[in-house]
Amino acid sequence: MRKFIVPSLLLTMLFAGGCQGKNDAANYDLRKDRSAPNEMSNKYKKPLVGQDVQNQNPNFLNLEGTSTRGTGGGQDTGIDVRKAKKVIRDTHEFRTDSVWINGDRMWVNVYKNGMLNDQQREDAEARLHKKLVQALPRYNIEVRVQEDRR
């Protein structure tokens, strides 16, 4: 029993000592920190934490202008999808089912009126593929022609 009295008193004093003092962590403001002015001051025009995260770590990717909404200089895949649909519509031979892009690949599904045998389907896919590659050469385009029996 006596063995445990001294360590328990030391632990109690240690816990009680850790609970004293004011809590500065909740009120800490990096902008007002003057403990290391050479490291975190605005003298060197370094951005503060939270203002510009990408400049804090040079290993972060620059994601500016990569939106698909056309803001910035990134590639806008929505424009390319509309261009592919316009090329399909201008043929007056096919009706667009779906067009989607993933990276450098574009998948195009279209309908053609009437019954098609295998050779006719391959010829139609080749014709449409050629027109799409001329309009959008940056993509590897996969074309699939289906029968529309209406």
Side-chain angles (χ1 to χ4, degrees), residues 35-58:
S35 63
N38 290 337
E39 298 295 325
M40 297 302 290
S41 70
N42 285 332
K43 182 166 55 171
Y44 299 109
K45 303 294 184 200
K46 291 181 181 177
L48 296 174
V49 175
Q51 287 181 345
D52 189 8
V53 176
Q54 289 181 345
N55 289 336
Q56 295 293 319
N57 185 345

Side-chain angles (χ1 to χ4, degrees), residues 94 106-110 124-130 132 141-145:
F94 303 102
M106 177 184 283
W107 285 271
V108 177
N109 291 335
V110 295
E125 287 176 356
R127 282 193 314 273
L128 184 58
H129 183 266
K130 183 178 178 182
L132 287 170
I141 301 173
E142 300 288 332
V143 177
R144 184 171 148 210
V145 175

Side-chain angles (χ1 to χ4, degrees), residues 93-119:
E93 183 181 1
F94 303 102
R95 186 173 53 86
T96 305
D97 178 29
S98 62
V99 177
W100 70 93
I101 296 173
N102 186 6
D104 66 339
R105 301 195 58 134
M106 177 184 283
W107 285 271
V108 177
N109 291 335
V110 295
Y111 287 110
K112 182 170 173 36
N113 285 334
M115 298 287 290
L116 299 173
N117 61 26
D118 291 338
Q119 185 62 38

Side-chain angles (χ1 to χ4, degrees):
M1 183 74 175
R2 288 187 196 181
K3 293 186 216 178
F4 297 111
I5 292 177
V6 174
S8 64
L9 286 175
L10 286 174
L11 282 174
T12 305
M13 289 182 0
L14 191 80
F15 285 131
C19 294
Q20 293 180 1
K22 62 182 184 177
N23 186 3
D24 289 334
N27 299 327
Y28 178 74
D29 186 11
L30 180 62
R31 291 175 183 85
K32 296 178 184 176
D33 185 10
R34 301 290 177 230
S35 63
N38 290 337
E39 298 295 325
M40 297 302 290
S41 70
N42 285 332
K43 182 166 55 171
Y44 299 109
K45 303 294 184 200
K46 291 181 181 177
L48 296 174
V49 175
Q51 287 181 345
D52 189 8
V53 176
Q54 289 181 345
N55 289 336
Q56 295 293 319
N57 185 345
N59 296 324
F60 280 157
L61 295 175
N62 182 7
L63 298 177
E64 280 185 20
T66 57
S67 170
T68 59
R69 293 193 171 107
T71 57
Q75 181 181 357
D76 190 353
T77 58
I79 292 173
D80 293 339
V81 168
R82 285 191 298 275
K83 173 104 174 163
K85 288 181 178 182
K86 183 182 182 317
V87 168
I88 295 166
R89 187 174 53 246
D90 289 346
T91 62
H92 302 292
E93 183 181 1
F94 303 102
R95 186 173 53 86
T96 305
D97 178 29
S98 62
V99 177
W100 70 93
I101 296 173
N102 186 6
D104 66 339
R105 301 195 58 134
M106 177 184 283
W107 285 271
V108 177
N109 291 335
V110 295
Y111 287 110
K112 182 170 173 36
N113 285 334
M115 298 287 290
L116 299 173
N117 61 26
D118 291 338
Q119 185 62 38
Q120 290 172 334
R121 179 178 288 117
E122 288 177 13
D123 292 341
E125 287 176 356
R127 282 193 314 273
L128 184 58
H129 183 266
K130 183 178 178 182
K131 289 181 182 186
L132 287 170
V133 167
Q134 287 176 347
L136 299 159
R138 77 181 72 146
Y139 293 105
N140 296 323
I141 301 173
E142 300 288 332
V143 177
R144 184 171 148 210
V145 175
Q146 300 171 350
E147 298 173 347
D148 189 9
R149 300 183 195 177
R150 290 191 236 179

